[in-house]
Amino acid sequence: MAWDTGPFDNDEAADFVADLAEAPDWRAVLLILDHVTKAGGYLEAPEAEMAVAASAIVAAGLGDGVVLPPDHQDLKAALGAPPEGAARLAKAALARVVGPASELDELWQEGDAHDAWLIHIAGLQKILSAFQ
């Protein structure tokens, strides 16, 4: 369930970040990004929500433009700098999330906040593009 349009403003993202905070490891972030970029067919919303959160974590690790959830401000320091190629992978995952056959994009289109959600995605893509 989403309560706002930000990358961490839904249950799947909140759970993903909480789990990552318990065991900070870039492999968990890269795994979901890789999965989403390689997913064929229909991309389910929970996977897409985790990919958006993972992309935001990469973006946060690269610069100061993304604010992590208040309970997990120390995650950036715990993870350290994102590995090489993480920005490219995150950007590709975001493209998949807003592309065709994405349940999350379809769900946002059903409401009034699709444009606001896309603005968040575009902001992440801009940060990630600077580090490719």
Side-chain angles (χ1 to χ4, degrees):
M1 179 174 97
W3 52 84
D4 207 348
T5 58
F8 305 110
D9 297 338
N10 60 75
D11 292 336
E12 292 294 334
D15 290 345
F16 177 75
V17 173
D19 290 346
L20 187 61
E22 287 182 22
D25 188 338
W26 278 112
R27 287 180 292 192
V29 175
L30 299 176
L31 184 65
I32 188 64
L33 294 173
D34 188 58
H35 172 74
V36 166
T37 59
K38 292 179 179 173
Y42 195 68
L43 179 62
E44 299 290 334
E47 294 168 313
E49 289 170 331
M50 287 188 292
V52 171
S55 296
I57 290 166
V58 172
L62 294 170
D64 296 325
V66 177
V67 177
L68 295 172
D71 295 347
H72 303 293
Q73 291 296 312
D74 57 342
L75 185 57
K76 182 176 173 179
L79 285 169
E84 188 173 331
R88 178 192 46 74
L89 187 59
K91 191 172 176 199
L94 290 174
R96 176 68 175 95
V97 167
V98 298
S102 170
E103 181 183 28
L104 185 58
D105 188 58
E106 291 172 6
L107 291 171
W108 280 109
Q109 287 180 39
E110 292 174 4
D112 296 332
H114 187 244
D115 289 343
W117 179 70
L118 287 176
I119 288 169
H120 282 285
I121 300 295
L124 291 174
Q125 288 172 322
K126 183 177 180 180
I127 293 167
L128 295 165
S129 291
F131 292 93
Q132 282 188 295

